[in-house]
Amino acid sequence: MSSTLSPLAAAFRQTSYPLGGHGRRNIQILKEALDGLDGKLESDIYGTGESIESFQAEMAAYLGKEKAVFFPSGTMAQQIALRIWCDEKGIRKVAYHPLSHLEIHEEDGLKELHQIESILLGEKDRLIQLDEILELKEEIACLLIELPQREIGGDLPPFEELVAISAYCRAHGIKLHLDGARLYEVLPFYQKSAVELCALFDSVYISFYKGIGGIAGAILAGDEAFTAKSKVWKRRHGGDLISLYPYYLSASYYFKQREPKMGQYYEEAVALAALFNSCPLVTTLPRVPVTNMFHVHLAMPKEKLEPILVGLYAETDVGLIHYLRESGEGICSFEISIGDAFAQIPKDKLKLAFERLDAGLREG
């Protein structure tokens, strides 16, 4: 298996201390989540049953919505949310950022499966501006806002701007949907509860494998009429597996463990970004992170940077990243998302890793 990996990925896999995430993704994730449960606990059947319904009720309460429905994937959940709002309004148009997950990672699923047209608001390298929403000429059924905006480093608009966007949408009959795959990660910055933030939106999607580190799965939440329709569409999409318990039980387990740590992860991301920015040729986006996730840009060609990192990994046993994206001529970038793994790195090893990175970039 290792022979198919790039030299950088292979070297990263050999390190004991990965910088980001919650550790290696392996079947131990499921074993740990199920270890303390009674083996006689009844599973769900096609999305019904006490265990899944109890979890959905917990998530609805956490988000401040009437109902919540568990989906096997966020891609499915979000397309369905937008389809419901388009059907209700009788308009086949929605608006979102040019780098929305629906636009760049879903093979045009919204268009091909639902015949819904996307209106791309704003520029790729910045957040959607309030003025752009106010000046929108197209009539749309729904506006999707992603918090944080992942593809530009996890940037966030001021909370007051979200309040203004919500008020405008409600005054003009536009549904507002939250792509909250990383919802938990923005709460420390806003100093708001999930209930307070989600109150601005008509429907909300959250993920359980990104910041939470579960296996897979998502919640789609809203009022009772909306979620009832979402269950019909989930069946049409093939999302009602005979049993979903490996997903929602692990989601519940890791949610309880990690949602309370989001403030810690955020503070560690700010400290880590400062370490990166202290090195030559390195800038982070944002320079001071607003969540536990940010992007790192290095002004060095990939062919020069990779050997520096491979050597650093071998010497320090700290893995910074397993890939490099060429984001411009002579520029590489990658994404860092802080989770449980960061706190496990011995301070002396982290210090040494950045000393070696600094020296390698200066000599390179």
Side-chain angles (χ1 to χ4, degrees):
M1 187 175 183
S2 60
S3 62
T4 64
L5 298 175
S6 70
L8 182 62
F12 177 84
R13 181 171 288 189
Q14 294 302 310
T15 61
S16 301
Y17 302 104
L19 204 61
H22 298 296
R24 312 296 184 192
R25 284 191 67 84
N26 51 37
I27 63 172
Q28 183 63 32
I29 294 172
L30 180 58
K31 290 178 68 177
E32 184 178 327
L34 299 184
D35 185 54
L37 294 176
D38 183 351
K40 295 180 181 179
L41 178 70
E42 288 192 14
S43 73
D44 61 305
I45 304 291
Y46 292 118
T48 63
E50 183 179 348
S51 60
I52 191 170
E53 289 166 13
S54 173
F55 179 61
Q56 289 172 161
E58 289 174 13
M59 289 297 100
Y62 173 78
L63 299 169
K65 296 300 181 188
E66 288 183 12
K67 296 287 183 178
V69 180
F70 187 85
F71 280 77
S73 84
T75 296
M76 183 187 297
Q78 294 213 101
Q79 289 183 21
I80 286 171
L82 298 185
R83 174 61 186 264
I84 292 169
W85 295 138
C86 285
D87 285 351
E88 183 174 297
K89 185 80 172 178
I91 297 171
R92 291 283 187 206
K93 291 182 181 180
V94 298
Y96 47 62
H97 191 274
L99 297 182
S100 166
H101 193 281
L102 288 100
E103 192 67 20
I104 66 174
H105 291 306
E106 298 182 15
E107 302 289 350
D108 288 334
L110 193 63
K111 303 176 183 70
E112 296 295 330
L113 297 178
H114 298 283
Q115 294 75 54
I116 293 174
E117 180 184 346
S118 59
I119 308 300
L120 305 183
L121 274 182
E123 305 296 329
K124 289 184 176 181
D125 60 353
R126 60 167 174 77
L127 295 169
I128 295 171
Q129 306 295 313
L130 176 60
D131 287 349
E132 292 164 338
I133 298 171
L134 302 182
E135 294 167 4
L136 184 63
K137 304 301 182 187
E138 305 262 10
E139 191 175 8
I140 60 171
C142 181
L143 170 65
L144 179 149
I145 299 289
E146 180 185 352
L147 300 177
Q149 195 72 52
R150 178 191 178 185
E151 299 292 339
I152 56 171
D155 206 0
L156 290 170
F159 185 77
E160 296 72 23
E161 186 159 334
L162 291 176
V163 172
I165 290 171
S166 177
Y168 175 82
C169 287
R170 285 177 178 164
H172 291 79
I174 299 169
K175 295 298 183 180
L176 188 59
H177 173 75
L178 173 59
D179 178 342
R182 296 170 173 79
L183 168 68
Y184 339 91
E185 302 170 33
V186 312
L187 301 179
F189 176 78
Y190 282 131
Q191 291 294 290
K192 303 289 183 183
S193 68
V195 171
E196 290 173 299
L197 187 58
C198 293
L200 303 176
F201 296 84
D202 298 290
S203 55
V204 176
Y205 143 68
I206 58 174
S207 170
F208 291 110
Y209 84 86
K210 295 186 172 77
I212 295 300
I215 299 170
I219 279 285
L220 184 62
D223 64 28
E224 191 160 0
F226 170 83
T227 52
K229 292 173 184 175
S230 78
K231 289 180 180 180
V232 175
W233 277 107
K234 184 170 75 157
R235 175 62 60 91
R236 290 168 175 165
H237 270 249
D240 271 336
L241 310 185
I242 176 64
S243 292
L244 289 162
Y245 68 87
Y247 307 110
Y248 68 79
L249 289 178
S250 68
S252 177
Y253 176 81
Y254 289 110
F255 176 82
K256 289 180 174 67
Q257 277 198 350
R258 290 167 178 158
E259 192 276 343
K261 296 182 182 179
M262 290 298 161
Q264 171 194 322
Y265 301 155
Y266 169 45
E267 292 172 2
E268 290 169 340
V270 171
L272 179 60
L275 288 176
F276 273 114
N277 284 313
S278 70
C279 295
L281 309 178
V282 181
T283 55
T284 65
L285 183 69
R287 186 167 184 86
V288 178
V290 291
T291 73
N292 63 320
M293 182 264 285
F294 59 92
H295 291 185
V296 181
H297 293 260
L298 302 99
M300 180 176 284
K302 184 177 179 179
E303 61 271 17
K304 286 189 175 182
L305 183 56
E306 276 197 343
I308 293 172
L309 294 178
V310 169
L312 184 159
Y313 296 175
E315 183 178 355
T316 68
D317 207 20
V318 176
L320 302 186
I321 196 67
H322 67 279
Y323 75 98
L324 289 172
R325 181 189 299 119
E326 294 180 284
S327 52
E329 188 172 346
I331 299 175
C332 294
S333 66
F334 55 86
E335 180 180 292
I336 286 283
S337 184
I338 296 301
D340 286 346
F342 185 76
Q344 304 303 314
I345 306 173
K347 295 287 193 299
D348 60 333
K349 285 188 173 290
L350 184 65
K351 181 174 183 288
L352 178 61
F354 275 90
E355 286 174 353
R356 293 295 180 264
L357 178 62
D358 185 285
L361 293 174
R362 291 182 190 279
E363 294 167 4

Short mmCIF file of all heavy atoms in Angstrom, two decimals, residues 272-322:
data_model
loop_
_atom_site.label_atom_id
_atom_site.label_comp_id
_atom_site.label_asym_id
_atom_site.label_seq_id
_atom_site.Cartn_x
_atom_site.Cartn_y
_atom_site.Cartn_z
N LEU A 272 -0.41 28.09 16.60
CA LEU A 272 0.30 27.39 15.53
C LEU A 272 0.52 28.29 14.32
O LEU A 272 1.59 28.29 13.71
CB LEU A 272 -0.47 26.13 15.12
CG LEU A 272 0.14 25.30 13.99
CD1 LEU A 272 1.52 24.80 14.38
CD2 LEU A 272 -0.78 24.14 13.63
N ALA A 273 -0.48 29.07 13.97
CA ALA A 273 -0.34 29.99 12.83
C ALA A 273 0.79 30.98 13.09
O ALA A 273 1.55 31.34 12.17
CB ALA A 273 -1.65 30.73 12.58
N ALA A 274 0.94 31.42 14.33
CA ALA A 274 2.04 32.34 14.67
C ALA A 274 3.39 31.67 14.44
O ALA A 274 4.34 32.32 13.97
CB ALA A 274 1.91 32.80 16.11
N LEU A 275 3.48 30.38 14.75
CA LEU A 275 4.73 29.65 14.49
C LEU A 275 5.03 29.59 13.00
O LEU A 275 6.17 29.80 12.57
CB LEU A 275 4.64 28.24 15.07
CG LEU A 275 4.68 28.09 16.59
CD1 LEU A 275 4.47 26.63 16.99
CD2 LEU A 275 6.01 28.61 17.13
N PHE A 276 4.01 29.29 12.20
CA PHE A 276 4.22 29.25 10.75
C PHE A 276 4.63 30.63 10.22
O PHE A 276 5.56 30.75 9.41
CB PHE A 276 2.95 28.78 10.04
CG PHE A 276 2.82 27.29 9.92
CD1 PHE A 276 1.82 26.61 10.61
CD2 PHE A 276 3.69 26.56 9.13
CE1 PHE A 276 1.70 25.23 10.49
CE2 PHE A 276 3.58 25.18 9.01
CZ PHE A 276 2.56 24.51 9.69
N ASN A 277 3.95 31.66 10.68
CA ASN A 277 4.25 33.00 10.17
C ASN A 277 5.61 33.52 10.60
O ASN A 277 6.13 34.48 10.01
CB ASN A 277 3.15 33.98 10.63
CG ASN A 277 1.87 33.81 9.84
OD1 ASN A 277 1.88 33.75 8.62
ND2 ASN A 277 0.74 33.73 10.54
N SER A 278 6.21 32.91 11.61
CA SER A 278 7.55 33.32 12.03
C SER A 278 8.63 32.76 11.12
O SER A 278 9.79 33.19 11.20
CB SER A 278 7.81 32.85 13.47
OG SER A 278 7.94 31.43 13.54
N CYS A 279 8.27 31.83 10.24
CA CYS A 279 9.23 31.23 9.32
C CYS A 279 9.30 32.05 8.03
O CYS A 279 8.30 32.63 7.60
CB CYS A 279 8.84 29.79 8.98
SG CYS A 279 8.89 28.66 10.38
N PRO A 280 10.45 32.07 7.37
CA PRO A 280 10.56 32.80 6.11
C PRO A 280 9.74 32.12 5.02
O PRO A 280 9.53 30.90 5.05
CB PRO A 280 12.06 32.73 5.79
CG PRO A 280 12.54 31.50 6.49
CD PRO A 280 11.72 31.42 7.75
N LEU A 281 9.23 32.92 4.09
CA LEU A 281 8.50 32.43 2.91
C LEU A 281 7.13 31.86 3.25
O LEU A 281 6.48 31.26 2.39
CB LEU A 281 9.31 31.38 2.14
CG LEU A 281 10.75 31.75 1.78
CD1 LEU A 281 11.43 30.58 1.05
CD2 LEU A 281 10.79 33.00 0.93
N VAL A 282 6.68 32.01 4.50
CA VAL A 282 5.42 31.40 4.93
C VAL A 282 4.42 32.48 5.34
O VAL A 282 4.77 33.42 6.06
CB VAL A 282 5.62 30.43 6.12
CG1 VAL A 282 4.30 29.79 6.52
CG2 VAL A 282 6.64 29.36 5.77
N THR A 283 3.19 32.34 4.87
CA THR A 283 2.08 33.17 5.36
C THR A 283 0.87 32.28 5.56
O THR A 283 0.66 31.32 4.81
CB THR A 283 1.71 34.30 4.37
OG1 THR A 283 1.43 33.72 3.09
CG2 THR A 283 2.82 35.31 4.23
N THR A 284 0.08 32.59 6.56
CA THR A 284 -1.15 31.84 6.76
C THR A 284 -2.34 32.67 6.31
O THR A 284 -2.29 33.90 6.29
CB THR A 284 -1.34 31.44 8.24
OG1 THR A 284 -1.52 32.62 9.03
CG2 THR A 284 -0.16 30.64 8.74
N LEU A 285 -3.39 31.98 5.95
CA LEU A 285 -4.64 32.62 5.54
C LEU A 285 -5.78 32.00 6.35
O LEU A 285 -6.02 30.80 6.22
CB LEU A 285 -4.89 32.39 4.04
CG LEU A 285 -6.12 33.05 3.45
CD1 LEU A 285 -5.95 34.57 3.43
CD2 LEU A 285 -6.39 32.54 2.04
N PRO A 286 -6.43 32.82 7.21
CA PRO A 286 -6.09 34.18 7.61
C PRO A 286 -4.77 34.21 8.39
O PRO A 286 -4.33 33.19 8.90
CB PRO A 286 -7.25 34.59 8.52
CG PRO A 286 -8.31 33.57 8.31
CD PRO A 286 -7.63 32.32 7.91
N ARG A 287 -4.18 35.42 8.49
CA ARG A 287 -2.93 35.50 9.23
C ARG A 287 -3.15 35.10 10.69
O ARG A 287 -2.34 34.39 11.28
CB ARG A 287 -2.35 36.91 9.14
CG ARG A 287 -0.97 37.01 9.77
CD ARG A 287 -0.23 38.27 9.44
NE ARG A 287 1.12 38.25 9.99
CZ ARG A 287 2.17 37.71 9.41
NH1 ARG A 287 2.05 37.14 8.23
NH2 ARG A 287 3.37 37.73 9.99
N VAL A 288 -4.25 35.59 11.28
CA VAL A 288 -4.68 35.13 12.60
C VAL A 288 -5.96 34.34 12.38
O VAL A 288 -6.98 34.91 11.97
CB VAL A 288 -4.93 36.30 13.56
CG1 VAL A 288 -5.43 35.77 14.91
CG2 VAL A 288 -3.67 37.14 13.73
N PRO A 289 -5.94 33.04 12.58
CA PRO A 289 -7.13 32.21 12.30
C PRO A 289 -8.34 32.66 13.09
O PRO A 289 -8.22 33.20 14.21
CB PRO A 289 -6.68 30.80 12.72
CG PRO A 289 -5.19 30.83 12.63
CD PRO A 289 -4.80 32.22 13.02
N VAL A 290 -9.52 32.42 12.51
CA VAL A 290 -10.78 32.72 13.21
C VAL A 290 -11.49 31.43 13.61
O VAL A 290 -12.55 31.48 14.25
CB VAL A 290 -11.70 33.61 12.34
CG1 VAL A 290 -11.10 35.00 12.21
CG2 VAL A 290 -11.94 33.01 10.97
N THR A 291 -10.94 30.30 13.21
CA THR A 291 -11.42 28.99 13.67
C THR A 291 -10.20 28.12 13.94
O THR A 291 -9.07 28.61 13.90
CB THR A 291 -12.32 28.28 12.62
OG1 THR A 291 -11.50 27.81 11.54
CG2 THR A 291 -13.38 29.23 12.08
N ASN A 292 -10.41 26.84 14.17
CA ASN A 292 -9.29 25.93 14.36
C ASN A 292 -8.68 25.47 13.04
O ASN A 292 -7.79 24.62 13.02
CB ASN A 292 -9.74 24.69 15.15
CG ASN A 292 -10.78 23.88 14.41
OD1 ASN A 292 -11.68 24.44 13.78
ND2 ASN A 292 -10.68 22.57 14.48
N MET A 293 -9.14 26.04 11.92
CA MET A 293 -8.65 25.67 10.59
C MET A 293 -8.11 26.90 9.88
O MET A 293 -8.65 27.99 10.00
CB MET A 293 -9.79 25.05 9.79
CG MET A 293 -9.40 24.57 8.39
SD MET A 293 -9.76 25.79 7.12
CE MET A 293 -11.54 25.61 7.01
N PHE A 294 -6.99 26.72 9.15
CA PHE A 294 -6.43 27.80 8.35
C PHE A 294 -5.59 27.19 7.23
O PHE A 294 -5.31 25.98 7.21
CB PHE A 294 -5.60 28.76 9.21
CG PHE A 294 -4.44 28.12 9.93
CD1 PHE A 294 -3.17 28.07 9.38
CD2 PHE A 294 -4.63 27.57 11.21
CE1 PHE A 294 -2.11 27.49 10.06
CE2 PHE A 294 -3.57 26.99 11.91
CZ PHE A 294 -2.31 26.94 11.32
N HIS A 295 -5.21 28.03 6.27
CA HIS A 295 -4.36 27.60 5.16
C HIS A 295 -2.95 28.14 5.35
O HIS A 295 -2.76 29.22 5.92
CB HIS A 295 -4.92 28.10 3.83
CG HIS A 295 -6.20 27.43 3.42
ND1 HIS A 295 -6.82 27.65 2.21
CD2 HIS A 295 -6.98 26.52 4.06
CE1 HIS A 295 -7.91 26.94 2.13
NE2 HIS A 295 -8.03 26.23 3.24
N VAL A 296 -1.98 27.39 4.85
CA VAL A 296 -0.58 27.79 4.91
C VAL A 296 -0.06 27.89 3.48
O VAL A 296 -0.22 26.96 2.68
CB VAL A 296 0.26 26.76 5.70
CG1 VAL A 296 1.72 27.21 5.75
CG2 VAL A 296 -0.29 26.57 7.10
N HIS A 297 0.55 29.03 3.15
CA HIS A 297 1.13 29.26 1.83
C HIS A 297 2.64 29.44 1.97
O HIS A 297 3.11 30.20 2.83
CB HIS A 297 0.52 30.51 1.19
CG HIS A 297 -0.93 30.37 0.86
ND1 HIS A 297 -1.39 30.09 -0.41
CD2 HIS A 297 -2.04 30.44 1.64
CE1 HIS A 297 -2.71 30.00 -0.40
NE2 HIS A 297 -3.12 30.20 0.84
N LEU A 298 3.39 28.72 1.13
CA LEU A 298 4.85 28.77 1.17
C LEU A 298 5.36 29.16 -0.20
O LEU A 298 5.02 28.53 -1.21
CB LEU A 298 5.44 27.42 1.58
CG LEU A 298 4.98 26.89 2.95
CD1 LEU A 298 3.87 25.86 2.77
CD2 LEU A 298 6.14 26.27 3.70
N ALA A 299 6.18 30.18 -0.24
CA ALA A 299 6.72 30.69 -1.52
C ALA A 299 7.95 29.89 -1.93
O ALA A 299 9.09 30.40 -1.95
CB ALA A 299 7.04 32.17 -1.40
N MET A 300 7.72 28.62 -2.25
CA MET A 300 8.80 27.72 -2.68
C MET A 300 8.19 26.65 -3.57
O MET A 300 7.11 26.13 -3.27
CB MET A 300 9.49 27.08 -1.47
CG MET A 300 10.64 26.13 -1.84
SD MET A 300 11.51 25.48 -0.38
CE MET A 300 12.48 26.92 0.08
N PRO A 301 8.87 26.28 -4.66
CA PRO A 301 8.33 25.23 -5.54
C PRO A 301 8.20 23.89 -4.82
O PRO A 301 8.97 23.58 -3.91
CB PRO A 301 9.36 25.15 -6.68
CG PRO A 301 10.13 26.42 -6.61
CD PRO A 301 10.12 26.84 -5.17
N LYS A 302 7.23 23.12 -5.24
CA LYS A 302 6.95 21.84 -4.60
C LYS A 302 8.17 20.92 -4.62
O LYS A 302 8.45 20.24 -3.62
CB LYS A 302 5.78 21.17 -5.34
CG LYS A 302 5.31 19.86 -4.73
CD LYS A 302 4.11 19.34 -5.50
CE LYS A 302 3.61 18.02 -4.93
NZ LYS A 302 2.43 17.51 -5.67
N GLU A 303 8.90 20.91 -5.73
CA GLU A 303 10.04 19.99 -5.84
C GLU A 303 11.17 20.33 -4.87
O GLU A 303 11.97 19.47 -4.50
CB GLU A 303 10.58 19.95 -7.27
CG GLU A 303 11.10 21.27 -7.82
CD GLU A 303 10.03 22.10 -8.51
OE1 GLU A 303 8.82 21.83 -8.29
OE2 GLU A 303 10.40 23.02 -9.26
N LYS A 304 11.23 21.58 -4.41
CA LYS A 304 12.23 21.97 -3.41
C LYS A 304 11.72 21.78 -1.99
O LYS A 304 12.46 21.42 -1.08
CB LYS A 304 12.63 23.44 -3.60
CG LYS A 304 13.52 23.71 -4.79
CD LYS A 304 14.02 25.15 -4.76
CE LYS A 304 15.01 25.41 -5.88
NZ LYS A 304 15.53 26.81 -5.82
N LEU A 305 10.44 22.02 -1.82
CA LEU A 305 9.85 21.98 -0.48
C LEU A 305 9.67 20.55 0.03
O LEU A 305 9.90 20.27 1.22
CB LEU A 305 8.52 22.72 -0.47
CG LEU A 305 7.80 22.84 0.87
CD1 LEU A 305 8.69 23.49 1.92
CD2 LEU A 305 6.50 23.63 0.70
N GLU A 306 9.26 19.64 -0.84
CA GLU A 306 9.00 18.27 -0.39
C GLU A 306 10.19 17.62 0.30
O GLU A 306 10.05 17.05 1.38
CB GLU A 306 8.51 17.41 -1.56
CG GLU A 306 7.02 17.55 -1.82
CD GLU A 306 6.46 16.42 -2.68
OE1 GLU A 306 7.26 15.72 -3.34
OE2 GLU A 306 5.24 16.24 -2.69
N PRO A 307 11.41 17.69 -0.29
CA PRO A 307 12.55 17.06 0.40
C PRO A 307 12.84 17.69 1.76
O PRO A 307 13.28 16.99 2.69
CB PRO A 307 13.71 17.31 -0.57
CG PRO A 307 13.08 17.53 -1.90
CD PRO A 307 11.78 18.22 -1.61
N ILE A 308 12.60 18.99 1.91
CA ILE A 308 12.80 19.64 3.20
C ILE A 308 11.86 19.04 4.24
O ILE A 308 12.26 18.72 5.37
CB ILE A 308 12.57 21.16 3.07
CG1 ILE A 308 13.65 21.80 2.21
CG2 ILE A 308 12.54 21.82 4.45
CD1 ILE A 308 13.40 23.26 1.87
N LEU A 309 10.60 18.86 3.85
CA LEU A 309 9.61 18.32 4.79
C LEU A 309 9.89 16.85 5.10
O LEU A 309 9.78 16.43 6.26
CB LEU A 309 8.21 18.48 4.21
CG LEU A 309 7.71 19.91 4.05
CD1 LEU A 309 6.32 19.93 3.42
CD2 LEU A 309 7.69 20.65 5.38
N VAL A 310 10.26 16.08 4.09
CA VAL A 310 10.57 14.66 4.31
C VAL A 310 11.72 14.53 5.32
O VAL A 310 11.67 13.71 6.25
CB VAL A 310 10.91 13.96 2.98
CG1 VAL A 310 11.49 12.58 3.24
CG2 VAL A 310 9.67 13.85 2.10
N GLY A 311 12.75 15.34 5.16
CA GLY A 311 13.87 15.31 6.10
C GLY A 311 13.48 15.74 7.49
O GLY A 311 13.91 15.16 8.49
N LEU A 312 12.63 16.76 7.55
CA LEU A 312 12.14 17.25 8.84
C LEU A 312 11.36 16.17 9.57
O LEU A 312 11.53 15.98 10.78
CB LEU A 312 11.27 18.49 8.58
CG LEU A 312 10.68 19.28 9.76
CD1 LEU A 312 10.33 20.69 9.29
CD2 LEU A 312 9.44 18.62 10.36
N TYR A 313 10.51 15.46 8.84
CA TYR A 313 9.70 14.40 9.46
C TYR A 313 10.59 13.31 10.04
O TYR A 313 10.36 12.82 11.15
CB TYR A 313 8.75 13.79 8.43
CG TYR A 313 7.70 14.72 7.87
CD1 TYR A 313 6.84 14.30 6.86
CD2 TYR A 313 7.56 16.03 8.33
CE1 TYR A 313 5.87 15.13 6.33
CE2 TYR A 313 6.60 16.88 7.80
CZ TYR A 313 5.77 16.43 6.80
OH TYR A 313 4.82 17.26 6.27
N ALA A 314 11.60 12.92 9.27
CA ALA A 314 12.50 11.85 9.72
C ALA A 314 13.27 12.26 10.97
O ALA A 314 13.50 11.44 11.87
CB ALA A 314 13.46 11.47 8.60
N GLU A 315 13.65 13.53 11.03
CA GLU A 315 14.47 13.99 12.15
C GLU A 315 13.66 14.25 13.41
O GLU A 315 14.12 13.96 14.52
CB GLU A 315 15.21 15.27 11.75
CG GLU A 315 16.14 15.79 12.85
CD GLU A 315 16.90 17.03 12.43
OE1 GLU A 315 16.79 17.45 11.26
OE2 GLU A 315 17.61 17.59 13.30
N THR A 316 12.46 14.79 13.25
CA THR A 316 11.70 15.26 14.42
C THR A 316 10.56 14.34 14.83
O THR A 316 10.04 14.46 15.94
CB THR A 316 11.11 16.65 14.17
OG1 THR A 316 10.09 16.56 13.15
CG2 THR A 316 12.19 17.63 13.71
N ASP A 317 10.13 13.45 13.94
CA ASP A 317 8.97 12.57 14.18
C ASP A 317 7.66 13.35 14.22
O ASP A 317 6.64 12.84 14.68
CB ASP A 317 9.15 11.78 15.47
CG ASP A 317 8.41 10.44 15.45
OD1 ASP A 317 8.08 9.96 14.34
OD2 ASP A 317 8.14 9.89 16.53
N VAL A 318 7.67 14.60 13.75
CA VAL A 318 6.48 15.45 13.67
C VAL A 318 6.07 15.57 12.21
O VAL A 318 6.90 15.91 11.35
CB VAL A 318 6.73 16.84 14.26
CG1 VAL A 318 5.50 17.75 14.07
CG2 VAL A 318 7.08 16.74 15.74
N GLY A 319 4.81 15.27 11.91
CA GLY A 319 4.31 15.37 10.54
C GLY A 319 3.48 16.63 10.35
O GLY A 319 2.40 16.75 10.95
N LEU A 320 3.96 17.57 9.57
CA LEU A 320 3.23 18.82 9.36
C LEU A 320 2.02 18.61 8.45
O LEU A 320 0.93 19.09 8.74
CB LEU A 320 4.15 19.90 8.76
CG LEU A 320 5.40 20.26 9.57
CD1 LEU A 320 6.12 21.44 8.92
CD2 LEU A 320 5.07 20.56 11.02
N ILE A 321 2.23 17.91 7.34
CA ILE A 321 1.15 17.74 6.36
C ILE A 321 1.52 16.58 5.44
O ILE A 321 2.70 16.28 5.27
CB ILE A 321 0.90 19.04 5.55
CG1 ILE A 321 -0.45 19.00 4.84
CG2 ILE A 321 2.05 19.29 4.58
CD1 ILE A 321 -1.65 19.02 5.75
N HIS A 322 0.52 15.93 4.85
CA HIS A 322 0.80 14.77 4.00
C HIS A 322 0.74 15.11 2.51
O HIS A 322 0.98 14.25 1.66
CB HIS A 322 -0.18 13.64 4.29
CG HIS A 322 -1.60 13.95 3.90
ND1 HIS A 322 -2.43 14.71 4.70
CD2 HIS A 322 -2.32 13.63 2.81
CE1 HIS A 322 -3.61 14.82 4.12
NE2 HIS A 322 -3.57 14.18 2.97
#
